[in-house]
Short mmCIF file of all heavy atoms in Angstrom, two decimals:
data_model
loop_
_atom_site.label_atom_id
_atom_site.label_comp_id
_atom_site.label_asym_id
_atom_site.label_seq_id
_atom_site.Cartn_x
_atom_site.Cartn_y
_atom_site.Cartn_z
N MET A 1 -14.74 -9.27 -2.64
CA MET A 1 -14.23 -8.19 -1.81
C MET A 1 -12.82 -8.46 -1.36
O MET A 1 -12.49 -9.57 -0.93
CB MET A 1 -15.15 -8.03 -0.58
CG MET A 1 -15.18 -6.61 0.03
SD MET A 1 -15.43 -5.36 -1.19
CE MET A 1 -15.81 -3.97 -0.15
N THR A 2 -11.95 -7.47 -1.46
CA THR A 2 -10.57 -7.65 -1.11
C THR A 2 -10.33 -7.30 0.35
O THR A 2 -10.83 -6.29 0.84
CB THR A 2 -9.68 -6.77 -1.99
OG1 THR A 2 -10.05 -6.98 -3.36
CG2 THR A 2 -8.22 -7.11 -1.84
N THR A 3 -9.54 -8.10 1.03
CA THR A 3 -9.18 -7.84 2.42
C THR A 3 -7.71 -7.50 2.49
O THR A 3 -6.91 -8.10 1.82
CB THR A 3 -9.50 -9.10 3.26
OG1 THR A 3 -10.79 -9.52 3.00
CG2 THR A 3 -9.35 -8.79 4.72
N CYS A 4 -7.38 -6.55 3.36
CA CYS A 4 -5.99 -6.18 3.53
C CYS A 4 -5.24 -7.33 4.20
O CYS A 4 -5.67 -7.81 5.26
CB CYS A 4 -5.89 -4.92 4.36
SG CYS A 4 -4.19 -4.49 4.80
N PRO A 5 -4.11 -7.79 3.65
CA PRO A 5 -3.36 -8.89 4.26
C PRO A 5 -2.69 -8.48 5.56
O PRO A 5 -2.23 -9.37 6.30
CB PRO A 5 -2.35 -9.26 3.17
CG PRO A 5 -2.23 -8.06 2.33
CD PRO A 5 -3.50 -7.30 2.41
N VAL A 6 -2.58 -7.21 5.87
CA VAL A 6 -1.88 -6.77 7.04
C VAL A 6 -2.84 -6.55 8.21
O VAL A 6 -2.68 -7.12 9.29
CB VAL A 6 -1.08 -5.47 6.77
CG1 VAL A 6 -0.36 -5.01 8.02
CG2 VAL A 6 -0.11 -5.67 5.65
N CYS A 7 -3.88 -5.79 7.99
CA CYS A 7 -4.82 -5.48 9.12
C CYS A 7 -6.10 -6.26 9.01
O CYS A 7 -6.95 -6.13 9.88
CB CYS A 7 -5.07 -3.99 9.18
SG CYS A 7 -5.93 -3.32 7.74
N ASP A 8 -6.25 -7.08 7.94
CA ASP A 8 -7.43 -7.94 7.79
C ASP A 8 -8.73 -7.13 7.69
O ASP A 8 -9.77 -7.59 8.10
CB ASP A 8 -7.48 -8.92 8.98
CG ASP A 8 -8.02 -10.27 8.52
OD1 ASP A 8 -7.86 -10.59 7.35
OD2 ASP A 8 -8.60 -10.98 9.38
N ASN A 9 -8.61 -5.94 7.16
CA ASN A 9 -9.72 -5.03 7.05
C ASN A 9 -10.09 -4.83 5.59
O ASN A 9 -9.22 -4.92 4.73
CB ASN A 9 -9.31 -3.68 7.66
CG ASN A 9 -10.41 -3.08 8.44
OD1 ASN A 9 -11.56 -3.04 7.98
ND2 ASN A 9 -10.10 -2.56 9.62
N LYS A 10 -11.35 -4.53 5.31
CA LYS A 10 -11.70 -4.31 3.91
C LYS A 10 -12.31 -2.95 3.68
O LYS A 10 -12.54 -2.59 2.52
CB LYS A 10 -12.57 -5.45 3.36
CG LYS A 10 -13.80 -5.73 4.18
CD LYS A 10 -14.58 -6.91 3.58
CE LYS A 10 -14.01 -8.25 3.96
NZ LYS A 10 -14.93 -9.35 3.79
N ARG A 11 -12.51 -2.16 4.69
CA ARG A 11 -13.18 -0.88 4.50
C ARG A 11 -12.28 0.21 3.97
O ARG A 11 -12.76 1.21 3.43
CB ARG A 11 -13.88 -0.44 5.78
CG ARG A 11 -12.90 -0.07 6.85
CD ARG A 11 -13.60 0.23 8.18
NE ARG A 11 -12.70 0.07 9.28
CZ ARG A 11 -11.82 1.01 9.66
NH1 ARG A 11 -11.79 2.13 9.01
NH2 ARG A 11 -11.01 0.80 10.66
N ALA A 12 -10.96 0.06 4.10
CA ALA A 12 -10.03 1.13 3.67
C ALA A 12 -9.26 0.74 2.43
O ALA A 12 -8.19 1.30 2.17
CB ALA A 12 -9.13 1.50 4.82
N ILE A 13 -9.75 -0.20 1.67
CA ILE A 13 -9.01 -0.68 0.52
C ILE A 13 -9.35 0.13 -0.73
O ILE A 13 -10.52 0.35 -1.02
CB ILE A 13 -9.34 -2.16 0.22
CG1 ILE A 13 -9.03 -3.03 1.45
CG2 ILE A 13 -8.60 -2.68 -1.00
CD1 ILE A 13 -7.59 -3.09 1.83
N GLY A 14 -8.32 0.62 -1.40
CA GLY A 14 -8.53 1.28 -2.67
C GLY A 14 -7.80 0.57 -3.76
O GLY A 14 -6.73 -0.02 -3.53
N LYS A 15 -8.36 0.57 -4.94
CA LYS A 15 -7.73 -0.15 -6.07
C LYS A 15 -6.81 0.84 -6.80
O LYS A 15 -7.25 1.93 -7.15
CB LYS A 15 -8.81 -0.70 -7.00
CG LYS A 15 -8.33 -1.84 -7.77
CD LYS A 15 -9.49 -2.59 -8.48
CE LYS A 15 -8.92 -3.81 -9.15
NZ LYS A 15 -9.58 -4.22 -10.34
N VAL A 16 -5.59 0.45 -7.03
CA VAL A 16 -4.63 1.33 -7.72
C VAL A 16 -4.15 0.74 -9.02
O VAL A 16 -3.49 1.41 -9.82
CB VAL A 16 -3.43 1.70 -6.81
CG1 VAL A 16 -3.86 2.56 -5.65
CG2 VAL A 16 -2.71 0.48 -6.34
N GLY A 17 -4.47 -0.50 -9.27
CA GLY A 17 -4.04 -1.13 -10.51
C GLY A 17 -4.87 -2.36 -10.81
O GLY A 17 -5.79 -2.66 -10.06
N THR A 18 -4.48 -3.10 -11.85
CA THR A 18 -5.25 -4.25 -12.25
C THR A 18 -5.36 -5.26 -11.11
O THR A 18 -6.44 -5.70 -10.78
CB THR A 18 -4.59 -4.96 -13.45
OG1 THR A 18 -4.14 -3.96 -14.36
CG2 THR A 18 -5.55 -5.91 -14.13
N GLU A 19 -4.23 -5.59 -10.51
CA GLU A 19 -4.25 -6.53 -9.34
C GLU A 19 -3.62 -5.86 -8.15
O GLU A 19 -3.12 -6.54 -7.26
CB GLU A 19 -3.48 -7.82 -9.71
CG GLU A 19 -4.14 -8.57 -10.85
CD GLU A 19 -3.16 -9.50 -11.52
OE1 GLU A 19 -2.03 -9.10 -11.79
OE2 GLU A 19 -3.55 -10.65 -11.77
N GLN A 20 -3.60 -4.54 -8.12
CA GLN A 20 -2.90 -3.81 -7.07
C GLN A 20 -3.86 -3.02 -6.23
O GLN A 20 -4.73 -2.31 -6.76
CB GLN A 20 -1.89 -2.89 -7.72
CG GLN A 20 -0.48 -3.15 -7.25
CD GLN A 20 0.51 -2.39 -8.09
OE1 GLN A 20 0.55 -2.54 -9.30
NE2 GLN A 20 1.32 -1.53 -7.46
N TYR A 21 -3.67 -3.11 -4.94
CA TYR A 21 -4.56 -2.41 -4.02
C TYR A 21 -3.77 -1.63 -2.97
O TYR A 21 -2.62 -1.92 -2.71
CB TYR A 21 -5.47 -3.43 -3.30
CG TYR A 21 -6.31 -4.25 -4.22
CD1 TYR A 21 -5.77 -5.41 -4.78
CD2 TYR A 21 -7.57 -3.86 -4.57
CE1 TYR A 21 -6.52 -6.17 -5.69
CE2 TYR A 21 -8.35 -4.61 -5.49
CZ TYR A 21 -7.80 -5.77 -6.03
OH TYR A 21 -8.54 -6.52 -6.90
N PHE A 22 -4.43 -0.67 -2.35
CA PHE A 22 -3.80 0.15 -1.34
C PHE A 22 -4.67 0.18 -0.10
O PHE A 22 -5.91 0.32 -0.20
CB PHE A 22 -3.59 1.58 -1.85
CG PHE A 22 -2.87 2.49 -0.89
CD1 PHE A 22 -1.52 2.42 -0.76
CD2 PHE A 22 -3.58 3.44 -0.18
CE1 PHE A 22 -0.86 3.27 0.13
CE2 PHE A 22 -2.94 4.28 0.72
CZ PHE A 22 -1.57 4.19 0.84
N CYS A 23 -4.06 0.02 1.07
CA CYS A 23 -4.82 0.10 2.31
C CYS A 23 -4.51 1.42 3.00
O CYS A 23 -3.37 1.70 3.32
CB CYS A 23 -4.47 -1.08 3.24
SG CYS A 23 -5.29 -0.98 4.83
N TRP A 24 -5.55 2.23 3.20
CA TRP A 24 -5.37 3.52 3.82
C TRP A 24 -5.11 3.41 5.29
O TRP A 24 -4.56 4.33 5.90
CB TRP A 24 -6.62 4.39 3.61
CG TRP A 24 -6.84 4.70 2.16
CD1 TRP A 24 -7.65 4.05 1.29
CD2 TRP A 24 -6.19 5.76 1.42
NE1 TRP A 24 -7.52 4.64 0.04
CE2 TRP A 24 -6.70 5.69 0.11
CE3 TRP A 24 -5.28 6.76 1.75
CZ2 TRP A 24 -6.28 6.58 -0.88
CZ3 TRP A 24 -4.89 7.64 0.78
CH2 TRP A 24 -5.36 7.55 -0.53
N ASP A 25 -5.46 2.29 5.91
CA ASP A 25 -5.25 2.10 7.35
C ASP A 25 -3.79 1.88 7.66
O ASP A 25 -3.23 2.46 8.57
CB ASP A 25 -6.09 0.92 7.85
CG ASP A 25 -7.45 1.38 8.35
OD1 ASP A 25 -7.69 2.61 8.32
OD2 ASP A 25 -8.26 0.52 8.73
N CYS A 26 -3.12 0.97 6.93
CA CYS A 26 -1.73 0.70 7.21
C CYS A 26 -0.78 1.26 6.19
O CYS A 26 0.42 1.05 6.29
CB CYS A 26 -1.47 -0.80 7.43
SG CYS A 26 -2.69 -1.92 6.86
N CYS A 27 -1.32 1.96 5.19
CA CYS A 27 -0.46 2.60 4.16
C CYS A 27 0.43 1.60 3.47
O CYS A 27 1.61 1.85 3.24
CB CYS A 27 0.35 3.74 4.76
SG CYS A 27 -0.63 5.19 5.10
N VAL A 28 -0.09 0.43 3.15
CA VAL A 28 0.66 -0.53 2.38
C VAL A 28 -0.05 -0.77 1.04
O VAL A 28 -1.28 -0.60 0.93
CB VAL A 28 0.83 -1.87 3.13
CG1 VAL A 28 1.67 -1.72 4.36
CG2 VAL A 28 -0.50 -2.49 3.42
N GLU A 29 0.73 -1.17 0.07
CA GLU A 29 0.18 -1.55 -1.22
C GLU A 29 0.35 -3.04 -1.33
O GLU A 29 1.36 -3.60 -0.89
CB GLU A 29 0.93 -0.82 -2.30
CG GLU A 29 0.09 -0.54 -3.52
CD GLU A 29 0.73 0.47 -4.47
OE1 GLU A 29 0.88 1.62 -4.05
OE2 GLU A 29 1.08 0.09 -5.58
N PHE A 30 -0.61 -3.72 -1.91
CA PHE A 30 -0.43 -5.16 -2.08
C PHE A 30 -0.99 -5.61 -3.44
O PHE A 30 -1.87 -4.99 -4.01
CB PHE A 30 -1.07 -5.97 -0.95
CG PHE A 30 -2.52 -5.63 -0.66
CD1 PHE A 30 -3.55 -6.44 -1.16
CD2 PHE A 30 -2.83 -4.56 0.13
CE1 PHE A 30 -4.87 -6.13 -0.88
CE2 PHE A 30 -4.17 -4.26 0.43
CZ PHE A 30 -5.19 -5.08 -0.09
N MET A 31 -0.37 -6.68 -3.94
CA MET A 31 -0.64 -7.18 -5.25
C MET A 31 -1.16 -8.59 -5.11
O MET A 31 -0.56 -9.40 -4.42
CB MET A 31 0.67 -7.19 -6.07
CG MET A 31 0.51 -7.12 -7.52
SD MET A 31 2.13 -7.18 -8.28
CE MET A 31 2.66 -5.48 -7.99
N ILE A 32 -2.25 -8.89 -5.75
CA ILE A 32 -2.84 -10.21 -5.64
C ILE A 32 -2.80 -10.89 -6.98
O ILE A 32 -3.36 -10.44 -7.99
CB ILE A 32 -4.28 -10.17 -5.10
CG1 ILE A 32 -4.28 -9.52 -3.72
CG2 ILE A 32 -4.89 -11.56 -5.04
CD1 ILE A 32 -5.70 -9.22 -3.19
N ARG A 33 -2.06 -12.03 -7.02
CA ARG A 33 -2.00 -12.83 -8.22
C ARG A 33 -2.44 -14.24 -7.86
O ARG A 33 -1.66 -15.00 -7.31
CB ARG A 33 -0.60 -12.87 -8.79
CG ARG A 33 -0.20 -11.58 -9.49
CD ARG A 33 0.90 -11.86 -10.51
NE ARG A 33 1.72 -10.67 -10.68
CZ ARG A 33 2.95 -10.57 -10.18
NH1 ARG A 33 3.48 -11.56 -9.52
NH2 ARG A 33 3.65 -9.49 -10.35
N GLY A 34 -3.67 -14.53 -8.11
CA GLY A 34 -4.18 -15.85 -7.78
C GLY A 34 -4.16 -16.03 -6.29
O GLY A 34 -4.81 -15.30 -5.56
N GLU A 35 -3.42 -17.02 -5.81
CA GLU A 35 -3.33 -17.30 -4.38
C GLU A 35 -2.25 -16.49 -3.72
O GLU A 35 -2.16 -16.46 -2.51
CB GLU A 35 -3.03 -18.79 -4.17
CG GLU A 35 -3.97 -19.71 -4.89
CD GLU A 35 -4.99 -20.31 -3.94
OE1 GLU A 35 -4.58 -20.99 -2.99
OE2 GLU A 35 -6.19 -20.07 -4.14
N GLU A 36 -1.40 -15.84 -4.52
CA GLU A 36 -0.21 -15.19 -3.99
C GLU A 36 -0.45 -13.70 -3.76
O GLU A 36 -0.95 -12.99 -4.62
CB GLU A 36 0.91 -15.36 -5.01
CG GLU A 36 2.27 -15.52 -4.38
CD GLU A 36 3.32 -15.83 -5.44
OE1 GLU A 36 3.22 -16.91 -6.06
OE2 GLU A 36 4.18 -14.98 -5.66
N THR A 37 -0.08 -13.25 -2.56
CA THR A 37 -0.21 -11.84 -2.26
C THR A 37 1.16 -11.26 -1.89
O THR A 37 1.85 -11.79 -1.05
CB THR A 37 -1.17 -11.62 -1.06
OG1 THR A 37 -2.41 -12.28 -1.36
CG2 THR A 37 -1.44 -10.15 -0.83
N THR A 38 1.57 -10.21 -2.58
CA THR A 38 2.83 -9.57 -2.28
C THR A 38 2.49 -8.19 -1.68
O THR A 38 1.71 -7.44 -2.23
CB THR A 38 3.65 -9.39 -3.56
OG1 THR A 38 3.63 -10.59 -4.32
CG2 THR A 38 5.10 -9.05 -3.23
N ILE A 39 3.14 -7.90 -0.54
CA ILE A 39 2.85 -6.64 0.15
C ILE A 39 4.04 -5.70 0.05
O ILE A 39 5.18 -6.12 0.16
CB ILE A 39 2.56 -6.93 1.65
CG1 ILE A 39 1.52 -8.05 1.77
CG2 ILE A 39 2.02 -5.69 2.32
CD1 ILE A 39 1.42 -8.62 3.17
N PHE A 40 3.73 -4.42 -0.17
CA PHE A 40 4.79 -3.44 -0.30
C PHE A 40 4.55 -2.28 0.69
O PHE A 40 3.39 -1.89 0.94
CB PHE A 40 4.83 -2.83 -1.70
CG PHE A 40 5.08 -3.83 -2.78
CD1 PHE A 40 4.02 -4.41 -3.48
CD2 PHE A 40 6.37 -4.22 -3.09
CE1 PHE A 40 4.25 -5.33 -4.48
CE2 PHE A 40 6.60 -5.13 -4.10
CZ PHE A 40 5.57 -5.71 -4.78
N ASN A 41 5.65 -1.72 1.20
CA ASN A 41 5.56 -0.49 1.96
C ASN A 41 5.67 0.67 1.00
O ASN A 41 6.44 0.60 0.02
CB ASN A 41 6.75 -0.39 2.94
CG ASN A 41 6.47 -1.09 4.23
OD1 ASN A 41 5.39 -0.95 4.79
ND2 ASN A 41 7.46 -1.85 4.73
N VAL A 42 4.92 1.72 1.21
CA VAL A 42 5.06 2.91 0.38
C VAL A 42 5.92 3.90 1.12
O VAL A 42 5.56 4.38 2.20
CB VAL A 42 3.67 3.48 0.05
CG1 VAL A 42 3.81 4.65 -0.90
CG2 VAL A 42 2.77 2.42 -0.58
N GLN A 43 7.04 4.25 0.51
CA GLN A 43 7.94 5.22 1.12
C GLN A 43 7.41 6.64 0.89
O GLN A 43 6.61 6.87 0.01
CB GLN A 43 9.35 5.09 0.46
CG GLN A 43 9.96 3.72 0.65
CD GLN A 43 10.03 3.31 2.13
OE1 GLN A 43 10.44 4.09 2.96
NE2 GLN A 43 9.60 2.10 2.43
N PRO A 44 7.87 7.59 1.74
CA PRO A 44 7.38 8.95 1.62
C PRO A 44 7.59 9.53 0.22
O PRO A 44 6.82 10.42 -0.23
CB PRO A 44 8.22 9.74 2.63
CG PRO A 44 8.61 8.71 3.65
CD PRO A 44 8.74 7.41 2.89
N ASP A 45 8.59 9.08 -0.51
CA ASP A 45 8.81 9.57 -1.85
C ASP A 45 8.03 8.82 -2.93
O ASP A 45 8.17 9.07 -4.11
CB ASP A 45 10.31 9.59 -2.19
CG ASP A 45 10.92 8.22 -2.22
OD1 ASP A 45 10.25 7.25 -1.88
OD2 ASP A 45 12.10 8.09 -2.59
N GLY A 46 7.26 7.87 -2.49
CA GLY A 46 6.39 7.17 -3.44
C GLY A 46 6.92 5.84 -3.94
O GLY A 46 6.20 5.12 -4.65
N THR A 47 8.14 5.48 -3.56
CA THR A 47 8.67 4.20 -4.03
C THR A 47 8.13 3.08 -3.19
O THR A 47 7.80 3.24 -2.01
CB THR A 47 10.21 4.17 -3.99
OG1 THR A 47 10.67 4.73 -2.78
CG2 THR A 47 10.80 4.97 -5.14
N LEU A 48 8.09 1.89 -3.79
CA LEU A 48 7.60 0.70 -3.09
C LEU A 48 8.75 -0.18 -2.66
O LEU A 48 9.63 -0.47 -3.43
CB LEU A 48 6.67 -0.08 -4.02
CG LEU A 48 5.43 0.63 -4.53
CD1 LEU A 48 4.65 -0.30 -5.43
CD2 LEU A 48 4.53 1.11 -3.39
N THR A 49 8.71 -0.58 -1.41
CA THR A 49 9.68 -1.58 -0.94
C THR A 49 8.93 -2.76 -0.40
O THR A 49 7.80 -2.62 0.07
CB THR A 49 10.58 -1.00 0.17
OG1 THR A 49 9.76 -0.48 1.21
CG2 THR A 49 11.47 0.14 -0.36
N LEU A 50 9.55 -3.92 -0.46
CA LEU A 50 8.90 -5.13 0.01
C LEU A 50 8.57 -5.02 1.50
O LEU A 50 9.43 -4.65 2.30
CB LEU A 50 9.79 -6.33 -0.29
CG LEU A 50 9.11 -7.68 -0.46
CD1 LEU A 50 8.12 -7.60 -1.61
CD2 LEU A 50 10.17 -8.74 -0.75
N TYR A 51 7.37 -5.36 1.85
CA TYR A 51 6.93 -5.28 3.21
C TYR A 51 7.55 -6.40 4.03
O TYR A 51 7.56 -7.56 3.66
CB TYR A 51 5.41 -5.40 3.27
CG TYR A 51 4.84 -5.39 4.66
CD1 TYR A 51 4.50 -4.20 5.28
CD2 TYR A 51 4.56 -6.58 5.31
CE1 TYR A 51 3.98 -4.19 6.56
CE2 TYR A 51 4.00 -6.59 6.57
CZ TYR A 51 3.72 -5.40 7.18
OH TYR A 51 3.18 -5.41 8.45
N LEU A 52 8.09 -6.03 5.22
CA LEU A 52 8.65 -7.04 6.09
C LEU A 52 7.94 -6.93 7.46
O LEU A 52 7.69 -5.85 7.95
CB LEU A 52 10.16 -6.77 6.32
CG LEU A 52 11.07 -6.89 5.11
CD1 LEU A 52 12.47 -6.40 5.46
CD2 LEU A 52 11.14 -8.33 4.63
N GLU A 53 7.65 -8.08 7.99
CA GLU A 53 7.07 -8.13 9.31
C GLU A 53 8.09 -7.55 10.29
O GLU A 53 9.28 -7.78 10.14
CB GLU A 53 6.75 -9.56 9.73
CG GLU A 53 5.76 -10.24 8.81
CD GLU A 53 4.33 -9.83 9.10
OE1 GLU A 53 4.11 -9.19 10.15
OE2 GLU A 53 3.44 -10.13 8.30
N PRO A 54 7.62 -6.81 11.32
CA PRO A 54 8.57 -6.22 12.29
C PRO A 54 9.53 -7.26 12.87
O PRO A 54 10.71 -6.98 13.13
CB PRO A 54 7.68 -5.63 13.35
CG PRO A 54 6.41 -5.34 12.63
CD PRO A 54 6.30 -6.43 11.58
N MET A 55 9.06 -8.47 13.11
CA MET A 55 9.89 -9.51 13.70
C MET A 55 10.99 -9.97 12.75
O MET A 55 12.01 -10.45 13.19
CB MET A 55 9.04 -10.71 14.11
CG MET A 55 8.03 -10.41 15.21
SD MET A 55 8.82 -9.93 16.76
CE MET A 55 9.47 -11.52 17.31
N GLU A 56 10.75 -9.87 11.45
CA GLU A 56 11.72 -10.35 10.49
C GLU A 56 12.71 -9.28 10.10
O GLU A 56 13.67 -9.52 9.44
CB GLU A 56 10.98 -10.81 9.21
CG GLU A 56 10.16 -12.05 9.43
CD GLU A 56 9.33 -12.38 8.20
OE1 GLU A 56 9.55 -11.77 7.15
OE2 GLU A 56 8.44 -13.27 8.31
N ASN A 57 12.46 -8.06 10.61
CA ASN A 57 13.36 -6.98 10.31
C ASN A 57 14.58 -7.05 11.21
O ASN A 57 14.48 -7.04 12.43
CB ASN A 57 12.61 -5.64 10.55
CG ASN A 57 13.26 -4.51 9.77
OD1 ASN A 57 14.47 -4.48 9.59
ND2 ASN A 57 12.43 -3.59 9.29
N ILE A 58 15.73 -7.16 10.59
CA ILE A 58 16.93 -7.40 11.34
C ILE A 58 17.33 -6.17 12.14
O ILE A 58 17.84 -6.28 13.28
CB ILE A 58 18.10 -7.80 10.36
CG1 ILE A 58 17.71 -9.11 9.65
CG2 ILE A 58 19.42 -7.96 11.09
CD1 ILE A 58 18.46 -9.33 8.39
N ARG A 59 17.07 -5.01 11.60
CA ARG A 59 17.45 -3.79 12.31
C ARG A 59 16.49 -3.62 13.44
O ARG A 59 15.94 -2.84 13.86
CB ARG A 59 17.44 -2.59 11.37
CG ARG A 59 18.81 -2.33 10.79
CD ARG A 59 18.85 -1.06 10.03
NE ARG A 59 18.61 -1.34 8.61
CZ ARG A 59 18.62 -0.34 7.69
NH1 ARG A 59 18.76 0.89 8.01
NH2 ARG A 59 18.42 -0.64 6.42
ZN1 ZN B 121 -4.53 -2.59 6.13
#
């Protein structure tokens, strides 16, 4: 079972690709390759940008 790396929830996870998942709770997409998880923000126009923690966001 896949858990969302952002909200630590597994009930709102949808699979969108081979190793790609989407969380309906936080609207993020994440990719799992072995031990490595990459998180993306989904922009309103559908593009993916790398997810940044609010604290790491300079703006
Ligand atoms: Zn989530």
